[in-house]
Amino acid sequence: MVKQERAARTRETLIRSAAETFDRDGFSVASLTAISSLAGVSNGALHFHFPSKAALANAVEESALARLLALTGDAEGSGLPAGASRVQLLVDVTHGLAGALRGDPVLRAGFALSGELSRPRPGDLRDRWRRWVEDTLRLAELEGELRPEAAAGDVVTAVVAATVGFEVLAVRDGAWLSAATVARFWRLLLPTLVPADRLAGFEAAGTNRRPG
C-alpha cells in the first residue's frame, strides 16, 4: 500500500511538473529531462510512469479536464435553485475559469495543449468548454432568459471566442485573465443578451451564488 501511495504521489508530481514545463516552454520545446528534474525524479522513474512526452501531455489534459468539469459541472444538471439564472451562472463560471487559469498551471497547460496538439482527443478542453457554454445558453434560451433577438448561437461564439482569447493573450499579459477584464466583457455583452427590464438583476463582476 505504501509503495502504491508513493507511486501515485510520484505520478501526480510528474503531471504537475510537466504542466509547469509545458506552460513555460510549450509542448514542442519542453524536454523530459527538464520535467524529471523539476519533479525531482530520474528519467527512468519518469519513463516508468509515462513512456513518452505525448503520454505525459495526455495525463496533463486529463487532469486539467477534471478541474474544468469541477468548475462547470453539467449544464443539464447544474443544481440551480428555482428562479436562479443560467446567464448569471455563465457569468460566474467564466470568472471562476479565469481565476483558475491564473493560478493553476495544470489547467493552463491543458487549455494550451488543446490548441497546440493536432490530434483530436475526447478530452479537448476548449471543445468541452464550448459545449458547456452552448448547453447553458440553450437552456437559458428555452427558459426565456434571453432577449428575443439574441440568438444563442451568436452568443456562444462571442463568449467562447472571448474567453479562449483571454486565455491565449494571458500568456504574455496576465491582466487578460483578471476579474476586471472578465467583468468589462460582461458589462458589454449583458445588455445585448438579456431583456432591459431584467438587466439590473445581473452582476457582471460575478456572484458567490454559483452551485458548488
Side-chain angles (χ1 to χ4, degrees), residues 10-206:
T10 299
R11 188 178 189 279
E12 288 305 311
T13 299
L14 282 166
I15 289 172
R16 184 172 182 86
S17 297
E20 291 178 1
T21 306
F22 295 154
D23 186 40
R24 184 190 66 224
D25 300 336
F27 174 78
S28 59
V29 174
S31 70
L32 293 178
T33 299
I35 293 167
S36 61
S37 177
L38 183 60
V41 303
S42 67
N43 278 339
L46 184 153
H47 283 287
F48 174 80
H49 290 278
F50 301 102
S52 66
K53 189 165 67 168
L56 254 175
N58 285 342
V60 169
E61 285 188 283
E62 289 171 4
S63 185
L65 178 60
R67 288 158 160 79
L68 178 64
L69 294 178
L71 281 168
T72 62
D74 186 313
E76 295 280 358
S78 61
L80 280 177
S85 165
R86 292 189 186 275
V87 172
Q88 186 64 59
L89 173 66
L90 178 58
V91 174
D92 292 349
V93 171
T94 57
H95 277 282
L97 177 61
L101 285 167
R102 289 196 303 271
D104 187 346
V106 175
L107 190 61
R108 283 199 305 274
F111 267 92
L113 287 165
S114 293
E116 189 166 350
L117 300 182
S118 59
R119 53 190 172 80
R121 297 165 314 281
D124 186 309
L125 269 74
R126 291 176 180 174
D127 184 60
R128 288 296 185 99
W129 171 243
R130 176 188 58 77
R131 282 190 276 159
W132 184 84
V133 173
E134 282 181 347
D135 289 344
T136 300
L137 284 167
R138 174 178 54 80
L139 291 169
E141 187 174 44
L142 287 173
E143 293 166 11
E145 285 196 50
L146 307 187
R147 296 169 65 103
E149 63 272 27
D154 293 341
V155 181
V156 169
T157 299
V159 173
V160 174
T163 50
V164 172
F166 294 160
E167 170 240 325
V168 172
L169 289 166
V171 171
R172 293 184 178 274
D173 182 358
W176 283 102
L177 285 173
S178 69
T181 296
V182 178
R184 282 197 298 271
F185 166 72
W186 281 113
R187 280 196 292 271
L188 179 67
L189 188 61
L190 279 171
T192 71
L193 181 60
V194 299
D197 60 351
R198 297 181 59 188
L199 184 59
F202 292 90
E203 296 286 346

